[in-house]
Amino acid sequence: MWLPLAYGTEFDDWNASADVFLVPQSFATADRRMMATNFPSKLPEMAKWGRPLVLWGPQYASSLRWNQDGHALGITDSDPDAVIQELLHIHEDSDAYEELCRGARQVAQNEFDPDGIQLQFLRLMNSLRGHAV
C-alpha cells in the first residue's frame, strides 16, 4: 500500500500493520553510483517491526550487498513481476515468511540496535584518543 506522509504515532501505526516492507533501489544506469553508496535510511526503522524486509534492486545496490547473510529477501530482477511472484511465495509459505521475520528481528536487535551503534561509535572515538571503553 502506498501511503501519504505521516508523523509520530500515525507512522508507527502504519508500520505496525505492515505484512512486509519493500525497499526498492533504482535499476537506472544513471543512478548506479548513488544506489551503490546510499544505504536506505529507513531499513533499520523497518527492521524493528519484525516483518520481512524485501530488498529490490540491482546486485550492486547497497541494501543487496548488505544482505549477504540473507536476513532479508533480496530480489535483483528488474521486472516488477518478479517482486510480485516472490511476495506471493512468502505469503503462501508460512515457514519462509517466519524465517524472514526472524531475520528482521535479528538485525534489529544486533547491527541496527541504537545502543550497540552508539557503543561502537564511542569505542572508535575513544580509541582515536587512546582510551578504552
Side-chain angles (χ1 to χ4, degrees):
M1 153 170 53
W2 192 268
L3 301 171
L5 186 61
Y7 298 97
T9 58
E10 185 179 16
F11 183 70
D12 288 344
D13 291 345
W14 286 349
N15 286 333
S17 70
D19 295 322
V20 300
F21 290 102
L22 176 62
V23 183
Q25 289 197 261
S26 175
F27 287 89
T29 304
D31 296 333
R32 183 181 177 113
R33 177 177 283 173
M34 182 171 60
M35 295 303 104
T37 59
N38 185 15
F39 191 76
S41 62
K42 291 297 180 192
L43 198 51
E45 179 73 22
M46 293 170 179
K48 78 177 188 179
W49 296 98
R51 303 301 192 304
L53 304 170
V54 179
L55 313 174
W56 180 33
Q59 287 184 312
Y60 55 80
S62 60
S63 65
L64 279 291
R65 289 190 345 262
W66 163 79
N67 190 42
Q68 295 302 308
D69 292 338
H71 296 297
L73 173 59
I75 304 168
T76 58
D77 188 332
S78 63
D79 184 353
D81 286 336
V83 176
I84 293 168
Q85 290 305 310
E86 290 292 341
L87 291 173
L88 288 172
H89 169 72
I90 63 172
H91 174 72
E92 294 168 357
D93 184 343
S94 61
D95 290 338
Y97 182 85
E98 286 304 319
E99 182 64 26
L100 290 168
C101 289
R102 279 190 293 279
R105 287 191 299 270
Q106 183 178 358
V107 296
Q109 294 168 357
N110 294 300
E111 63 193 278
F112 292 153
D113 173 52
D115 293 332
I117 293 170
Q118 179 69 14
L119 184 58
Q120 286 178 14
F121 175 75
L122 290 173
R123 284 183 177 150
L124 176 61
M125 295 305 292
N126 284 322
S127 72
L128 294 173
R129 293 184 6 208
H131 297 76
V133 174

